[in-house]
Amino acid sequence: VTLLFGRVLLLYKVAKCRVWLLERDVERATAAGSAGDDASPAEAAAQKVDAVWLRAHERAGELLHRHMTDLGGLWVKMGQYIASRSDMVAPPIVQRLSAMLDSNPPRPLSQIVRTLALELGREGSTRIASIDASPLSTASIAQVHSARLSDGQKVAVKVQHEEVGTVMRQDIAQARVLCRVLALVEPNFDFTSLIEEATSENVKELDFRIEAANLADVGANLKRARVVAEVPSPIEGLVTERLLVMTFSEGMSLKSREALLAAGIDLHLLVGRVCEAWAVQLLRDGVFNADPHAGNLLVRQDEAVGPLPVLLDFGLCKRLSAEARLRFCQLVHALSEQDGDLLLESLLGLGMKLNVQIEPAELLSALMFAFRDSDADAAASRAAHKAKMAREMRRDKVYRKEEERRKREEGSAFQKMTLPPEIVYFFRTIDMLQGLSTRLGVSYPFLKPLAACAQQSLLRHARRQGGAVASPLSPMQPSPATRGTAAA
C-alpha cells in the first residue's frame, strides 16, 4: 500500500517538475522575443503542459486500478469513491477506476455454492431452486447473482467473499498505521479519529444482517414519504452474517450517460428524484446510505412515473440521533437563508470544536461551495474545485499561524480542532451526489430539495414541542425528547 501511494506521489512530483521546466522555457523565450510564426511560446507550452498532465493522469489511473484491484477489500472501496468524484478528479483516472464500481474480478461459482451451504444449511438451501452462474456484479466485499426460490420468485443473492473478513481487517490495520505515521510526520494532518470511525463502519459492512435491517428501514421510510424510488426488500429466513437474499430489482446502470439517453431516461428528473430520496434519508428520518456512487444505483423507465431510481447496497449506512438530525436540518436551513450565525451554532451543536476564531460569514462561504448547484461541465467543476482549494490554502496559512500562537500560549491545555464523524459522512454523501450529477451531465440546484426537507422537519419538531417554538430558527437545546434514534 505504501509503495503504491509512493509511486503515485512520485509520478506527480515528476510531472510537476516537467511543467515547471516548460513554464521556465516559455518565460525565457518570451523575454528573448523568439515567438514562432504559427503559435506563441505560451500557446505551444500550454499544449505541452496539457500533454504532461494527461500522461500523468493516465499512468496514475492505471497504477491505482491495477494495484487497488489486487489489494481488494478496503482499497477497492477507496477506488470506487475516487471514481465517483468526476467533479474533482481528472477524467483519465475516473474512466480507469470506473471499472471498479461493479466490474471487479468475479469469484468462481463453487465458492458461492459453498458459502450458501455453510450459511443456510441443508434445509435452508432447498429454498433456493436455482442460481445463475454469471454474477450480476462483483464488489469489494461480495458478489451478487440472480436466482429463483422454490416458489418461483426471482431474487438477488449477495454472497460475501470467503477471505474478505480477514483481508478487510488487515486493510484497516494498515490504514490505522498509515494515519498514525502521517500524524507524527505532519501534525496538521491528524486523521486518526476519523479513520477509527470509518473503520468501525467498514467492519459493520461485513455483517449482512445489519444491511438487511437498513434496507427494511430505509425502504419503509421512503415509501411512507411517498418518494419515487425503489429499495430491495430482504427475504425473511434467508439472511445471515455472510448471505443476503433480497427481492430482485430491474434497472440500468448509471455509469454511462450515453446509454441512459439512448434509453430515453430523463436525466434531470432522475437526479432530482435521487436527491429527494437522500434528502428524506438525511433530514427526515436520519437513516441514510453513505455510499451513493453510480455502482450502487440503477434506473428503470416506469410507464406510470418515468425514471424510477433503484437504491442498492446499504452496507455503509449511518443512523443519526434525533438531536443530530435536527442539527443537520438547522445547518441546511442556515445555508439556504445565508445565516452564518445559525450555521456556526448548528456545527457547534453537532460537536465540532474549533481551535481558532472563525467569522460566521467566512464559514458560510466555505460550506456553500459543498451545496453549490452541480455543474454539467466536469471540466468547469474541477476548475471551480481547484480555485476553491487555492482559497482554502491561503486561508489555512492565516489560521495555522493563530493556531501555533495559541498552542504556545496554552501549552498542554490546547485542544485540536475536532470534526465529528457524522459531519464527515454527511458531507461525503453530499459530495458523492455532486459527483453523480456531474457524471450524468446534469446541472441541479442541490440546496433546494434539501432545504425544503429540512424546513419541514424543523416545523414538525416545533409543533411537537406544543407550538411554543415560533420559528425553526429558534435554538434547539439538548433534552430527553431529542435524544435517541427516533425519526421525525
Side-chain angles (χ1 to χ4, degrees):
V1 174
T2 304
L3 179 61
L4 167 61
F5 289 101
R7 289 178 68 182
V8 173
L9 181 62
L10 179 60
L11 177 69
Y12 280 107
K13 288 281 188 182
V14 171
K16 190 174 181 179
C17 287
R18 288 176 176 168
V19 168
W20 179 81
L21 290 172
L22 285 169
E23 291 174 343
R24 186 194 62 180
D25 291 343
V26 170
E27 291 176 0
R28 289 177 176 175
T30 302
S34 58
D37 296 331
D38 297 329
S40 70
E43 292 172 340
Q47 294 176 358
K48 291 180 181 178
V49 166
D50 289 343
V52 168
W53 286 124
L54 179 62
R55 285 195 295 271
H57 294 324
E58 289 174 344
R59 180 61 179 149
E62 292 171 4
L63 284 171
L64 290 170
H65 177 260
R66 182 169 71 250
H67 292 290
M68 283 181 160
T69 301
D70 290 342
L71 287 166
L74 191 65
W75 306 109
V76 170
K77 297 191 75 64
M78 185 178 292
Q80 291 173 337
Y81 177 69
I82 296 171
S84 72
R85 299 309 310 277
S86 58
D87 58 326
M88 59 178 288
V89 179
I93 297 177
V94 170
Q95 184 177 3
R96 191 69 175 171
L97 296 186
S98 288
M100 301 177 74
L101 291 174
D102 62 5
S103 301
N104 296 291
R107 306 303 171 92
L109 185 61
S110 58
Q111 282 190 19
I112 305 303
V113 173
R114 184 161 57 242
T115 301
L116 281 171
L118 288 171
E119 294 300 305
L120 295 178
R122 180 177 298 177
E123 184 176 349
S125 298
T126 59
R127 290 189 61 186
I128 299 179
S130 64
I131 183 169
D132 286 353
S134 299
L136 295 170
S137 66
T138 304
S140 57
I141 291 177
Q143 188 160 295
V144 179
H145 290 255
S146 62
R148 292 280 180 182
L149 298 183
S150 55
D151 62 3
Q153 181 183 359
K154 187 176 183 180
V155 294
V157 178
K158 183 174 181 177
V159 182
Q160 192 173 119
H161 302 319
E162 288 183 339
E163 79 296 340
V164 75
T166 301
V167 171
M168 182 75 82
R169 289 178 176 88
Q170 290 174 348
D171 293 342
I172 288 170
Q174 290 176 337
R176 284 171 171 160
V177 170
L178 287 173
C179 279
R180 287 168 187 158
V181 170
L182 180 62
L184 288 173
V185 174
E186 180 49 76
N188 290 319
F189 292 93
D190 186 355
F191 301 123
T192 49
S193 62
L194 295 182
I195 200 67
E196 288 297 328
E197 170 68 18
T199 52
S200 69
E201 292 299 323
N202 290 135
V203 168
K204 291 179 185 177
E205 291 188 77
L206 298 174
D207 189 342
F208 289 173
R209 294 168 297 187
I210 295 176
E211 181 175 357
N214 294 336
L215 284 168
D217 289 347
V218 174
N221 290 340
L222 294 181
K223 185 177 292 186
R224 185 169 59 251
R226 297 182 179 179
V227 174
V228 181
E230 182 177 301
V231 177
S233 301
I235 303 297
E236 187 176 354
L238 294 178
V239 177
T240 70
E241 184 177 1
R242 299 173 59 232
L243 173 70
L244 172 58
V245 181
M246 62 199 115
T247 55
F248 192 90
S249 293
E250 302 281 356
M252 295 178 59
S253 168
L254 268 61
K255 293 194 301 178
S256 172
R257 180 176 187 271
E258 291 71 24
L260 292 169
L261 288 174
I265 302 295
D266 184 335
L267 297 183
H268 193 273
L269 182 56
L270 170 63
V271 169
R273 287 175 171 173
V274 169
C275 289
E276 182 188 10
W278 258 271
V280 168
Q281 291 177 63
L282 288 161
L283 303 170
R284 184 187 185 279
D285 301 302
V287 184
F288 65 95
N289 184 330
D291 200 22
H293 63 70
N296 287 344
L297 288 161
L298 301 175
V299 62
R300 182 171 69 251
Q301 188 71 12
D302 186 275
E303 291 183 3
V305 299
L308 176 68
V310 179
L311 284 50
L312 306 173
D313 196 349
F314 279 73
L316 184 56
C317 198
K318 286 295 293 180
R319 291 175 179 264
L320 302 174
S321 68
E323 180 185 339
R325 179 182 58 78
L326 288 169
R327 287 291 183 183
F328 277 118
C329 290
Q330 192 181 44
L331 181 152
V332 172
H333 184 73
L335 287 169
S336 70
E337 295 295 320
Q338 300 282 289
D339 189 332
D341 292 321
L342 182 64
L343 176 63
L344 183 58
E345 178 191 323
S346 64
L347 287 170
L348 295 175
L350 284 164
M352 184 175 180
K353 293 183 175 23
L354 302 173
N355 53 20
V356 292
Q357 189 69 33
I358 297 180
E359 288 294 326
E362 194 172 7
L363 186 63
L364 179 66
S365 175
L367 290 190
M368 279 299 295
F369 184 83
F371 288 85
R372 68 196 183 280
D373 292 359
S374 63
D375 199 325
D377 185 341
S381 182
R382 286 190 294 274
H385 188 271
K386 185 177 179 179
K388 192 253 185 184
M389 291 301 295
R391 293 193 299 272
E392 291 291 334
M393 290 177 68
R394 290 193 295 271
R395 185 162 48 235
D396 284 348
K397 288 181 181 179
V398 177
Y399 287 139
R400 199 167 294 140
K401 289 179 181 178
E402 182 182 345
E403 183 180 10
E404 290 298 329
R405 179 187 60 78
R406 290 190 58 190
K407 193 182 294 185
R408 288 193 301 270
E409 292 176 355
E410 299 177 17
S412 60
F414 177 78
Q415 290 186 338
K416 291 183 177 180
M417 177 177 172
T418 302
L419 197 63
E422 289 83 3
I423 294 179
V424 176
Y425 277 103
F426 183 87
F427 281 98
R428 176 184 186 271
T429 302
I430 298 298
D431 284 346
M432 294 184 80
L433 290 172
Q434 285 272 1
L436 175 67
S437 297
T438 301
R439 170 186 283 273
L440 296 179
V442 174
S443 295
Y444 193 79
F446 266 87
L447 188 55
K448 187 175 180 180
L450 289 166
C453 192
Q455 290 162 8
Q456 290 169 9
S457 292
L458 289 168
L459 287 169
R460 278 196 299 270
H461 170 73
R463 293 191 190 103
R464 281 203 301 271
Q465 299 301 307
V469 182
S471 166
L473 292 175
S474 301
M476 294 174 293
Q477 300 298 328
S479 67
T482 59
R483 301 184 194 277
T485 57

